[in-house]
Amino acid sequence: VQLQASGGGLVQAGGSLRLSCAASGGTFSSHAMGWFRQAPGKEREFVAAISWSGGGTSYADSVKGRFTISRDNAKNTVYLQIINLKPEDTAVYYCAARRRDFSSYKTWKGISEYPYWGQGTLVTVSS
């Protein structure tokens, strides 16, 4: 599975942004999708995940209420809508994919849980 993230940019605090991640080379609807981010000097951290059908989502506590993950299986694309951006949201955002199995996607919060990764898109929030 190949992933291509896009949609990052420079945004003022309080603004909004929608990130996209286009998938190819696999059966998109058979994969749960995740978003992670890595701020300068910090480790990559889990942000959100969505089940293969789109019927379920999971979020890091730090982003609940401001981040919304969604997917369009007809377009092989997963999205991350971010509102009320804060300077601490500045990071490279990565999308990731993992084929469904018998475990719950809601437990897949570590970078080692996902075998497929996009190249990342930079979000910079100015104060």
Side-chain angles (χ1 to χ4, degrees):
V1 176
Q2 292 79 48
L3 304 174
Q4 181 75 38
S6 61
L10 175 62
V11 184
Q12 286 190 332
S16 61
L17 209 58
R18 189 177 80 158
L19 307 182
S20 300
C21 175
S24 62
T27 304
F28 183 68
S29 59
S30 295
H31 291 74
M33 301 297 296
W35 283 98
F36 289 71
R37 67 183 180 183
Q38 188 165 16
K42 295 187 177 181
E43 294 186 350
R44 195 172 302 187
E45 64 175 357
F46 170 78
V47 172
I50 188 166
S51 67
W52 33 88
S53 68
T57 57
S58 174
Y59 296 93
D61 289 342
S62 60
V63 305
K64 284 181 180 177
R66 296 192 300 117
F67 287 38
T68 303
I69 188 171
S70 62
R71 67 189 294 161
D72 185 338
N73 284 350
K75 296 183 178 180
N76 288 356
T77 302
V78 62
Y79 304 98
L80 186 68
Q81 179 73 45
I82 311 172
I83 63 171
N84 191 21
L85 277 155
K86 303 177 180 181
E88 52 263 41
D89 294 322
T90 294
V92 177
Y93 285 72
Y94 298 88
C95 57
R98 173 173 168 172
R99 189 174 180 81
R100 64 183 296 181
D101 58 31
F102 292 107
S103 62
S104 172
Y105 74 96
K106 291 189 176 184
T107 67
W108 305 346
K109 297 184 177 182
I111 59 176
S112 62
E113 302 282 3
Y114 290 84
Y116 307 107
W117 291 84
Q119 85 291 355
T121 185
L122 176 63
V123 173
T124 303
V125 184
S126 62
S127 57

